[in-house]
Amino acid sequence: MPRWARGWPEALKARAARYALQRWLGPFLEEPLRLEQLGLDLRGGTGTLRELRLRAAAVDELLAGAGAPLELREGGVGAVTVTVPWAALGTEPVRLRLSGLRLVLRPRECG
């Protein structure tokens, strides 16, 4: 667990994580994150977000910028789990697991 998080009450850790995640991911989500969607185990190095609905226009803007031939119409993620190896940070990978990914795509119109 990172040194800065030691001694914080669990509720405060969850609120701080939700705030940071909302700042980073908020533009790509249809709804603000709720504490019920967030599962944290900082000591174990894992965090999970559940039932995320994607803001299609924001995600599609990224796809268009990357030259993707497909357009996102709607999408969601059942769960995203991140595992951070605190004891070996920098030598072991941070792992990201997506489950329940749902995307509705269509060919991008040329024009």
Side-chain angles (χ1 to χ4, degrees), residues 4 11 25 33 46-47 55 58 72 79 81-82 91 96 101 103 105 110:
W4 59 264
L25 300 175
L33 289 172
T46 62
R55 181 175 289 152
L72 180 67
T81 301
V82 177
T91 59
L96 179 73
L101 180 63
L103 301 175
L105 302 163
C110 298

Side-chain angles (χ1 to χ4, degrees), residues 7-78:
W8 285 21
E10 293 303 313
L12 184 58
K13 290 176 192 175
R15 289 182 191 282
R18 181 188 60 181
Y19 174 79
L21 290 166
Q22 181 63 42
R23 285 188 51 106
W24 296 326
L25 300 175
F28 304 103
L29 301 176
E30 282 290 331
E31 304 164 339
L33 289 172
R34 299 181 319 276
L35 285 174
E36 304 85 53
Q37 292 174 281
L38 177 62
L40 283 179
D41 176 11
L42 290 177
R43 193 166 302 209
T46 62
T48 301
L49 292 171
R50 291 178 187 82
E51 297 306 319
L52 304 174
R53 286 189 14 207
L54 300 176
R55 181 175 289 152
V59 175
D60 188 56
E61 191 174 311
L62 289 175
L63 292 172
L70 299 173
E71 176 182 348
L72 180 67
R73 302 301 296 154
E74 67 180 77
V77 180

